[in-house]
């Protein structure tokens, strides 16, 4: 079980690092920029969550493997991946949204915070890596644009279901799997059918 | 007394949430963007203050009412307020600047920090919500532009007077009211008479 | 020895404050903007480092002298320095990169963190002031652009040498001086000979 979570986490981290490094190349950055954007995309959400919850030192400060993998992936991506087909990132990125959201909500519940705050922590963990990436690339965050397919919404709904199941005393492992699966499938369906949120 | 502070706080939070949601709509964001910008505008300053002071978990993580009110106001604003007359926000926004500045300085003094740092914490609490809103909307923060009427300056002067009165052993309640009133009236006068800071 | 560190720190803080205030003036900000950008340029990197490590209250919150010097320098720069020759900032800015990087890595090692994280903390301390300055001025951070001379790279190499020497049980004072000197000279050579990182 722990092994599956470990593998899913590093798939998600690698997808974030690749997307960050590609974004950096598009913005005429050098390898320092690419590594930083990759890092921020992969760990920005979890870092903000831990700062808000007071969980310091931050997780990637304590475990150097996160940094090593991210920098390695960013380096390869920056210097070797020409014309990388970005649609290949859709599935691993959705895995990341799913894993990070459920993890974020779990940490909040370990501190006995209210359900709505736990959902919020899940969403923040899931989306703020991309928000910080877009800030550093000097543009309005993609996840906030009305032309973007459902992203935070998937995290919100799936994390909400996860919290509801926990509240109904369902086994936490089953609750995580159900919540995570909802996020993953909602996200992939939204991309497939270009579902967006209603405009004002 | 606590009730008045409670009411003033939620007036200020609602004004920030409305201004954030309107800004999001102007920038072609969806409701996720609107809720996030509303949240960041309302609580960004206090969040940065608490992070700097080490007061974690952050206030809005502990009390879910803040999130609920902000999301509700942002939702209504985004989908229902067409052509909202933004000048209506001037007074509640100035109330927010006033309440948040005095609160920020008070928290700093509870940690026995120096007067200048307490003033700084007041100003940061008062203005950084708007700064983060503008960052996420990808523009130079409005409060820093030389064409903007006095804003941080009002917070600086009023918080300074508050700290001075405390230092002179005036009753803290009276000191807060005087300091807060100075901020509120300076800000409203600046808007009315378009007072800006001297250029270089 | 402590006196030399004190003097070097304030030389670096002043250079950052001058560069921040000049940048603010270029972006049509007022004195509030100039003081904020100066502050963020001088202390942004150290603030992020301390937040990540959980060292709160932050250093400049505890010691008001940092704020006083920065605001004073920013004020003078904003209102008095017309046509300031920015190349004069190259040496003090490189001193700052050097001092802040070594300090950042030292704090990380005091918490018994791994070598790679200590290097990362050195680089973050050295470069994130400028990154935040550029974010607030609404542009892609200069240090990430491929046309920029080596900056983070100098910090990375010098901090790496410092960590290596510590690991080899060399006297920490000597290790700091060697690491810091490498950063300073690499940076000045890069500016002189316009050395940049290889493109993809």
């Amino acid at each position: 079980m722990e092994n599956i979570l470990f593998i899913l986490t590093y798939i998600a981290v690698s997808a974030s690092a690749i997307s960050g490094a590609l974004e950096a190349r598009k913005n005429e950055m050098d390898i320092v920029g690419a590594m930083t954007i990759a890092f921020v995309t992969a760990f920005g959400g979890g870092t903000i969550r831990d700062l808000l919850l007071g969980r310091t030192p931050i997780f990637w400060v304590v475990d150097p493997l996160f940094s090593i993998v991210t920098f390695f992936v960013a380096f390869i991506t920056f210097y070797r991946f020409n014309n990388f087909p970005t649609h290949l990132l859709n599935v691993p990125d959705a895995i990341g949204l799913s894993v990070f959201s459920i993890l974020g909500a779990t940490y909040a519940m370990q501190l006995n915070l209210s359900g709505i705050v736990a959902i919020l922590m899940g969403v923040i963990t899931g989306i703020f890596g991309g928000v910080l990436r877009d800030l550093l690339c000097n543009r309005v965050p993609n996840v906030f644009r009305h032309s973007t397919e459902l992203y935070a919404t998937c995290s919100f709904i799936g994390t909400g279901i996860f919290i509801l199941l926990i509240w109904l005393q369902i086994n936490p492992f089953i609750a995580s799997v159900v919540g995570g699966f909802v996020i993953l499938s909602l996200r992939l369906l939204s991309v497939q059918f270009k579902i967006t949120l209603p405009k004002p």
Side-chain angles (χ1 to χ4, degrees), chain A:
Chain A
M1 181 46 214
E2 289 233 322
N3 288 338
I4 296 175
L5 186 61
F6 181 88
I7 291 169
L8 289 178
T9 299
Y10 277 93
I11 288 175
V13 162
S14 303
S16 300
I18 293 174
S19 109
L22 292 175
E23 207 56 55
R25 207 158 67 172
K26 237 189 278 171
N27 283 274
E28 313 223 306
M29 295 185 182
D30 60 15
I31 181 67
V32 167
M35 283 178 158
T36 310
I37 305 291
F39 200 90
V40 161
T41 310
F43 304 123
T47 301
I48 291 183
R49 175 203 63 218
D50 280 4
L51 290 177
L52 295 172
L53 297 180
R55 302 173 81 240
T56 52
I58 303 295
F59 63 100
W60 55 262
V61 167
V62 180
D63 180 354
L65 187 59
F66 286 118
S67 310
I68 294 167
V69 170
T70 307
F71 290 144
F72 179 77
V73 171
F75 190 88
I76 301 287
T77 306
F78 188 75
Y79 282 121
R80 286 283 167 265
F81 289 3
N82 285 315
N83 304 313
F84 187 87
T86 49
H87 68 87
L88 285 187
L89 292 176
N90 284 340
V91 175
D93 180 82
I95 292 176
L97 182 64
S98 170
V99 171
F100 294 161
S101 298
I102 299 296
L103 273 181
T106 304
Y107 291 146
M109 287 198 308
Q110 285 169 356
L111 295 173
N112 291 317
L113 299 173
S114 64
I116 184 163
V117 170
I119 296 178
L120 221 56
M121 288 299 138
V123 176
I124 288 172
T125 315
I127 75 171
F128 263 79
V131 170
L132 292 181
R133 174 198 64 207
D134 293 347
L135 268 189
L136 288 173
C137 293
N138 197 29
R139 61 176 194 207
V140 170
N142 201 40
V143 64
F144 299 157
R145 302 187 68 85
H146 67 49
S147 53
T148 304
E149 299 88 6
L150 303 189
Y151 195 87
T153 313
C154 312
S155 165
F156 182 83
I157 295 174
T159 314
I161 290 173
F162 166 65
I163 300 285
L164 185 73
L165 293 177
I166 293 287
W167 187 73
L168 293 170
Q169 312 254 338
I170 305 288
N171 174 297
F173 172 66
I174 296 175
S176 320
V177 172
V178 173
F181 183 77
V182 168
I183 298 173
L184 181 65
S185 20
L186 269 183
R187 172 63 186 157
L188 293 178
L189 287 171
S190 305
V191 171
Q192 184 66 39
F193 298 106
K194 298 199 185 309
I195 306 171
T196 59
L197 286 164
K199 291 190 194 176

